[in-house]
């Protein structure tokens, strides 16, 4: 039987850590990064990821850091 699980995750990461993780997984967005991490960790058929708060890419991170 398939099971649908919905959760909210909040975490803090340094700017360089975010850059390194995006580069390692070859992703442009945090949503894509989290989807790849979950997909590689457990076998998922359908993963939906949505950023609720915070930057979703390095440009948004730079804007938040400078603004």
């Amino acid at each position: 039987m398939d099971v649908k699980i919905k959760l909210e995750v909040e975490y803090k990461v340094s700017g360089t850590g975010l850059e390194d993780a995006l580069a390692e997984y070859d992703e442009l967005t945090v949503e894509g990064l989290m989807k790849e991490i979950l997909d590689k960790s457990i076998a998922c058929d359908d993963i939906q990821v949505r950023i609720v708060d915070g930057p979703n890419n390095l440009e948004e991170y730079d804007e938040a850091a400078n603004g």
Side-chain angles (χ1 to χ4, degrees), residues 6-28:
K6 185 175 184 176
L7 62 113
E8 182 175 320
V9 176
E10 180 176 326
Y11 63 95
K12 185 175 183 179
V13 63
S14 69
T16 56
L18 179 60
E19 288 181 54
D20 292 346
L22 289 170
E24 181 177 336
Y25 282 89
D26 195 27
E27 287 295 329
L28 298 177

Side-chain angles (χ1 to χ4, degrees), residues 40-60:
K40 289 183 183 333
S41 299
I42 56 176
C44 296
D45 294 325
D46 183 28
I47 302 172
Q48 302 297 318
V49 177
R50 182 175 60 97
I51 299 299
V52 177
D53 188 26
N56 190 34
N57 55 48
L58 292 178
E59 289 81 19
E60 291 176 6

